Each structure stands twice: as C-alpha cells, then as structure tokens.
Amino acid sequence: MSSTVALLLCGPAALLATAILAAAVSRLAAATRLVYGAALVISATLLAIVASHLAGNPGAVSATTLPLGLPFTGARFRLDGLSAFFLVVVNLGGGITSLYGLGYGRHEPAPHRVLPFYPAFLAGMNLVVLADDAFSFLLSWEFMSLASWALVMAHHRDEANRRAGTIYLVMASFGTLALLLAFGTLAGPAGTYAFDAMRTAHPGRFAAGAVLVLMLLGAGSKAGLVPLHAWLPLAHPAAPSHVSALMSGIMTKVAVYGFIRVVFDLLGEPAWWSGIAVLLIGGVTAVLGILHALMEKDLKRLLAYSTIENIGVIFASLGLALAFKANAMPSAAALAFTAALFHVLNHSFFKSLLFFGAGAVLTAAGERDMEKLGGLIHRLPVTSFVFLVGCVSISALPPFNGFASEWLIFQAILRSPELPQWGLKVIVPAVGGMLALSAALAAACFVKAFGITFLGRARSAVAERAREVDRWSLAAMAVLAAFCLIAGILPGLVIDGLSPVTLSLIGDRMPVQMAEPWLSIVPIAESRSSYNGLLVFVFIAVSASLAAFFIHRFASHALRRGIAWGCGFDEAVPAAQYTAVSFAQPIRRVFGGFAFRARETVEMPAPGALEPARLKVDMHDPAWEIFYQPITGAIDFATERLNHLQFLTIRRYLTLVFVYLVILLLVLALWP
C-alpha cells in the first residue's frame, strides 16, 4: 500500500518543479498558461489518485518513509481516511483555482511575484496533509505559510499589503511555535516524533489539556479563531483574488485538519471539559466574525470576515463531537463530526466561488469598494448569477449545500439533553443560539453583499463601464456553483463518503443515507427529523416555473413605465440608494456597543451653508486593542531601550560577554 503514498508524493514534487520552472520563465507571455495549466493537471491527477483509493478501499492505510528529516525517524508520510478527505478538499480546490487562474492571471500586473509561489503553496498544503511525523508536519506547515506570505506580499508596493504581510508572518510564526510545543509535549521524555508513537503515548490529563490549548493557539491562529483572527481580514484581501480563494477556502481547512489530526487522533480519549472550551471559542468566533463582515464595505474583507464565522461553526461542531465522544455517545459524536467535515467541504466550495466572484468584479470594474459599485447584474450577468448561488449557499438556505451541513449541526445540538454534565447541558444550547444568530446575520450580510454590489444603479463610472470576464473564470465559477447545488440536493452521498473518516476517529458512523427512499437524509431516526434536498429543489423549480408561466400567460400585456417613487424628487440618482454602511446601521446600533465600540458622529454644517451633513462612524476591533496593541507597544518600548546596544565600544561588548559567561557558569553550578 506504500505505493499509493509514493505516487501521491510525486504530486508535490511535480508542483515544486513547476515552481522552479515558473521562477525561470515567469516574465514570458506564456508563463501564466504554463504554470496554471501544469498546476491544474497535477491537482486533477492527485484528485484522481485519492478518489480511486476512496472508491477501492476507503478504510485502508498506506504509509511510506523517506530517508530525510530527523535521524532514526526519517520523513514519514501516511494516507488514511482523514488525510484522503482533506486531500480531496485541497486538490479539488487547487484544480478549480488553477482553472480560474488561467483567465484571471492574465490581468495580474506582477506575474513574476505570483507564479513561482502558487504551485509551491499547493505543494505545501498537500505535504501537510500527508505528513506522519512532527518534523515533516512542521516543515511542511512552515513552507505552506511562507509560500502564502509571499503571495500576500505580491503587491508589496501598497503600504496596506506590507502591513498585512508583516502581521501574517508574525502570527504564522506564533502558530508554528505553539504547534512545536504541542508536538514536544506529545513526544514526551522519549522524544518520539513519529505519529504512530504519539498515538500510543497516552499523555496525562495535564499534558493533554496543554496540548489542546496549544493546538487551539497553533491551528486556531491559522484558521482564524477569535481572538487570533487579526491577520486574516488583512492578508486574505491583500492577495490576488484566486490566492484569496485558496487561503480562505482551502488553507484554513488545512488548519482544521491539523487540529483534528492531533486532538481526535493523536491525543487519545478527550475530557468532557475540552468540548466546552472548543464549543465556546467556536460560538464566539462565529458571531463576532459575521458581525464584522456585516460592517464592511470592502467586498474581499467582508468575505474574509465571513470565513472567520464559518471556521467558528466548524469548531463549534468539533467541540460538540468532543463532548459526545468523552461521554461515550458515539452516534451523537459521529453526527457532530460528520457535520463539521461536511461544512469543511461546503465552505471550500462557496467561499472559493465568492472570492472568484469578487475577483471578477475587481477585474471588470477595478473596484472592491461596494460603495462604488452597483448595477453589475446588467453588465456581468453570468458572474452575478453564480455569485448569487454562492450567497444563497453561504446563507444556509435550501436547497444548497450550506443548509445541509448546518442543519446537521443543529440536529447534533438537539441531542445535548442526553449529556450528563450540567455545564454541557447549559452551554451547548447557548452555543446553538449563537450559531442560529450567526446564521441569520449571515443571510443579512450576503443580502447586503449581493444587493449593494450587483443590484440598483451604478454608483461610479467604473461600474458603468464594467464588462463580463473571460471564459476560464466563468467556467471555474460555474463548476463551483454546480457543486454547491449537487452537495445540497444529494447530501446523503457526501455523508456516506465521510463515514470511513468518522468510523476511524469516532468509532461509529451515521446511518447509511443513500439507502433512504427519495434520497432523504435521516441523521438520527425518521420519527425525529429528516430532510430531502432533492424534493425541495424540485418544489422550488416547479413552483417558480408555474408562477412565471401563469404571470406571462394570464397577466396583462399592457406595459406602463414610470419613475420609481423618490420621496418627492422626480429624478432618481445613484446617491439616493442604500449603501453598504447604511444597510448595516440597524445591526451596528444593536451590537456595535460591545462588539466594535462603535460611535456615530453627525457633522452638521452651519446655518445657511451649502455643504451636506456627514455621518462619521468610528469602529474598533476590541481583540486587536486588548491583545495585540499592548504587545506591540511593549515590543516597541523594549527595542527602543535596547537599541543603544548596537553602538557600544569593543571593550563594552567584551565586558558584556564576560558578564554573561559568569552568569551562565553560576546557573550551571547551582543547577540541582
């Protein structure tokens, strides 16, 4: 079985070779087609290999060791159910992103800063998922982080992009340090860094708690958990749009993989309180993420904050799975765990689609500020349609995929009364309420995103001149829109496909769904709940078709045109439309006090003056001000005080070396 892993390792090797080739030819006209075409072929090949493995024997484990890495350990790589699923996510997303890049890449002003790092980024994500020892995992993780940082810095002449890249690099280094400490704790005194040895180590309660905290810091910082999310809304919009799709739709899922691999696989049986910690962090992340998204007028920053919300939903479901697993409720744990993995797949679909749509808008209009857009549905009809599909999917509306996975999460929450601990009995419904609130706010957020961007009248000249994007970009978005629909109307197919992963890590699985009549899904029992996405889709399609038929057949054919009512003004102007800021004002007034420390100031002109009144909104990120500003201030203070050390004379340097040597000898002498 090691031949399968060896074959899969050829993919990252080919991607790294493509990166080296791209560095040599990136300034040529054909470089874009060459690099993205090669990445598309390699990703599709890896996807086919993993799919054949899953179709043949999904529960089989394949492993190999290369004579690299640490002595006596080597570089170990392994393919099991969990890594196979995430390889599907990585390479399906990578292949479709490469297809999009064939068209979008032609508009890239600095391709030589993107092309060499794009295949390297894909290679790093594949290697993280395949790694089977701590050294290989951390090396691949850091390689993935550095490649994505280089892509964030592609447009480095922009001051905001340089700031985003710096913050991302600092947070990535912090996350890697936390992961290093987590693996060191798991390795224990024996120092065995192979995952097989860690599975049998059985750390104590204190060590297991420390590993959980470190994984929440390490993997959570890469995924975007609050309050470790500060880098994400800065870095994801700074990157080119197809890279933003990879970072938001795929790389954050690699972080989720790292958390699952350690906490559900290597750490052993969880404690019941671990579920409370992950649940609460997930619920808070979901609510704060979507509240921040609602306040945004930058389309890509809105999508980045929305990623934080969906990561919160995934971690809340994983926390629920931990709670059920700790209390020996395997069927409920399997339901929550399957829902989390299903949402991982769904988010990779609709978030990539939405970032592709934002990239198409940016290409066509040159703007991502929604206040300067509007009316694009007439100029970008295909883009507007697929973007609408993404908005409906991420809003968790049937019959699309977002509804199916979030519905499963709520079905798992409804089993919380069976938990024995009163803390979980109270906290799980509270987190369920937070997830319900975030789902409602997500719907409002994407009504705003689609309505302000595509509906109404053009608010600027660039929006009026926008034209539809190229066929490659449209094809990639159409494929993802189709996946959003297919996963929504056939969720049983996905649930059954996830069963080997759930069985290997939870010890149980959800009931077989494809055997249910009419392709319904029944997560617990038919007497409790069931859902049929196909029937919902057929009902909506037939109802809409009949309504359109009767309206066109029996309604009056008389046509009367008139201007819309404009509060007494006879000529509607684009400035009279809703804006992104005004749309969010009611929600900002309800939640802004505690979530953003928001303040509204109205600047009124003097009596008789002709200047308009202006509304100024001042908002803050409490996480940034509470956690990050004091740290940066302390670092600045320390560096200013220590800066004079570089101007000492040679005699003072020698004196310092002597003093440090004496202190070191004293410590060694007094050490017990």
Side-chain angles (χ1 to χ4, degrees):
M1 292 298 294
S2 61
S3 59
T4 305
V5 176
L7 196 59
L8 286 171
L9 288 174
C10 293
L15 287 167
L16 292 175
T18 304
I20 296 171
L21 176 64
V25 304
S26 59
R27 295 183 184 273
L28 300 180
T32 296
R33 293 193 301 272
L34 176 64
V35 173
Y36 290 120
L40 172 59
V41 171
I42 295 168
S43 297
T45 303
L46 289 172
L47 182 62
I49 295 171
V50 176
S52 64
H53 171 82
L54 292 174
N57 190 358
V61 175
S62 174
T64 191
T65 303
L66 300 180
L68 304 169
L70 294 176
F72 310 109
T73 300
R76 295 169 177 255
F77 298 95
R78 185 173 186 260
L79 178 69
D80 58 8
L82 180 64
S83 56
F85 167 70
F86 278 92
L87 281 175
V88 169
V89 174
V90 169
N91 289 292
L92 184 58
I96 297 174
T97 304
S98 301
L99 176 64
Y100 182 85
L102 286 170
Y104 183 84
R106 293 184 300 179
H107 307 285
E108 173 58 48
H112 59 285
R113 299 188 181 279
V114 176
L115 295 179
F117 301 106
Y118 176 81
F121 185 30
L122 291 177
M125 290 191 288
N126 276 282
L127 289 172
V128 169
V129 176
L130 285 170
D132 194 36
D133 68 89
F135 181 80
S136 301
F137 185 96
L138 289 172
L139 185 65
S140 304
W141 183 279
E142 194 69 0
F143 184 78
M144 173 187 73
S145 299
L146 289 174
S148 57
W149 169 79
L151 291 166
V152 169
M153 293 291 289
H155 303 151
H156 66 284
R157 298 187 185 278
D158 188 330
E159 173 62 29
N161 289 2
R162 292 198 298 272
R163 179 173 179 266
T166 302
I167 294 174
Y168 176 40
L169 192 61
V170 171
M171 291 300 296
S173 302
F174 169 78
T176 303
L177 175 62
L179 291 176
L180 177 63
L181 295 175
F183 284 125
T185 306
L186 280 172
T192 51
Y193 290 99
F195 285 175
D196 285 339
M198 291 181 183
R199 287 186 184 93
T200 59
H202 304 300
R205 181 176 300 179
F206 177 78
V211 170
L212 176 66
V213 172
L214 289 168
M215 288 306 301
L216 285 171
L217 293 173
S221 65
K222 183 70 71 180
L225 288 177
V226 172
L228 305 170
H229 67 288
W231 67 273
L232 195 148
L234 300 174
H236 286 203
S241 294
H242 61 310
V243 176
S244 302
L246 271 184
M247 295 179 69
S248 205
I250 310 300
M251 186 183 73
T252 55
K253 309 310 173 300
V254 176
V256 173
Y257 164 81
F259 180 83
I260 294 174
R261 174 62 74 190
V262 173
V263 175
F264 283 85
D265 185 18
L266 305 184
L267 201 53
E269 289 299 316
W272 68 269
W273 55 263
S274 63
I276 291 181
V278 180
L279 264 168
L280 285 175
I281 292 173
V284 171
T285 298
V287 173
L288 290 181
I290 199 61
L291 281 173
H292 277 285
L294 263 164
M295 300 303 113
E296 282 296 330
K297 62 179 183 178
D298 184 312
L299 185 56
K300 289 182 71 174
R301 280 178 62 87
L302 181 150
L303 296 177
Y305 273 119
S306 168
T307 293
I308 296 172
E309 181 246 343
N310 281 274
I311 289 296
V313 171
I314 292 168
F315 270 85
S317 190
L318 291 175
L320 195 58
L322 283 173
F324 285 133
K325 185 179 180 183
N327 285 286
M329 298 171 60
S331 62
L335 172 58
F337 190 74
T338 302
L341 293 184
F342 196 2
H343 203 69
V344 163
L345 181 66
N346 288 339
H347 185 252
S348 72
F349 289 160
F350 52 66
K351 186 49 61 70
S352 298
L353 171 58
L354 290 168
F355 265 112
F356 289 169
V361 170
L362 185 59
T363 300
E367 275 290 346
R368 63 189 206 199
D369 185 351
M370 290 185 286
E371 309 280 63
K372 299 178 182 178
L373 298 171
L376 295 181
I377 192 171
H378 304 293
R379 297 164 182 84
L380 282 69
V382 180
T383 297
S384 63
F385 175 76
V386 293
F387 195 89
L388 178 61
V389 170
C391 290
V392 174
S393 300
I394 201 171
S395 300
L397 297 177
F400 291 94
N401 57 345
F403 176 82
S405 54
E406 292 201 23
W407 181 78
L408 285 179
I409 294 172
F410 284 110
Q411 295 305 306
I413 289 172
L414 291 176
R415 296 202 58 181
S416 62
E418 303 172 34
L419 291 165
Q421 294 87 8
W422 275 103
L424 286 169
K425 287 178 181 290
V426 172
I427 288 174
V428 173
V431 173
M434 297 168 74
L435 296 184
L437 174 63
S438 68
L441 292 174
C445 178
F446 284 94
V447 167
K448 162 187 160 177
F450 184 81
I452 303 298
T453 303
F454 291 96
L455 302 182
R457 295 189 179 189
R459 296 176 176 83
S460 64
V462 291
E464 290 180 345
R465 295 193 299 266
R467 295 292 180 270
E468 190 61 273
V469 293
D470 58 273
R471 291 176 299 171
W472 297 108
S473 301
L474 294 177
M477 290 189 285
V479 170
L480 286 174
F483 281 150
C484 289
L485 179 60
I486 292 170
I489 64 177
L490 297 174
L493 186 64
V494 180
I495 292 170
D496 289 347
L498 293 172
S499 60
V501 187
T502 308
L503 191 61
S504 64
L505 295 177
I506 303 298
D508 202 351
R509 53 162 293 172
M510 285 181 61
V512 178
Q513 302 296 318
M514 292 304 289
E516 296 292 334
W518 296 96
L519 299 177
S520 297
I521 57 172
V522 183
I524 304 170
E526 193 169 355
S527 59
R528 295 187 62 166
S529 60
S530 64
Y531 169 69
N532 193 305
L534 182 60
L535 289 182
V536 171
F537 172 69
V538 170
F539 173 78
I540 292 174
V542 171
S543 301
S545 301
L546 288 175
F549 171 77
F550 278 102
I551 289 172
H552 286 282
R553 177 68 178 83
F554 297 106
S556 172
H557 293 282
L559 183 64
R560 185 178 65 177
R561 292 186 180 274
I563 61 173
W565 170 247
C567 299
F569 292 93
D570 60 351
E571 185 175 347
V573 293
Q577 302 176 107
Y578 263 101
T579 63
V581 174
S582 63
F583 188 97
Q585 185 188 51
I587 296 174
R588 184 175 64 246
R589 288 184 171 177
V590 173
F591 297 100
F594 78 92
F596 318 109
R597 297 178 183 170
R599 292 182 61 188
E600 295 183 359
T601 305
V602 179
E603 298 177 357
M604 296 296 296
L610 299 179
E611 293 83 7
R614 297 187 180 277
L615 174 68
K616 181 181 178 182
V617 180
D618 185 27
M619 291 191 299
H620 304 268
D621 186 348
W624 176 264
E625 295 178 353
I626 293 172
F627 295 100
Y628 298 102
Q629 279 189 352
I631 295 174
T632 56
I635 293 173
D636 289 342
F637 177 83
T639 52
E640 287 178 5
R641 296 298 181 275
L642 297 174
N643 187 49
H644 71 279
L645 291 177
Q646 61 180 321
F647 302 109
L648 299 179
T649 63
I650 186 66
R651 288 181 296 176
R652 292 184 176 180
Y653 281 129
L654 292 174
T655 303
L656 284 176
V657 171
F658 178 75
V659 170
Y660 291 150
L661 180 60
V662 171
I663 293 173
L664 177 61
L665 292 174
L666 286 174
V667 170
L668 292 176
L670 298 175
W671 193 267

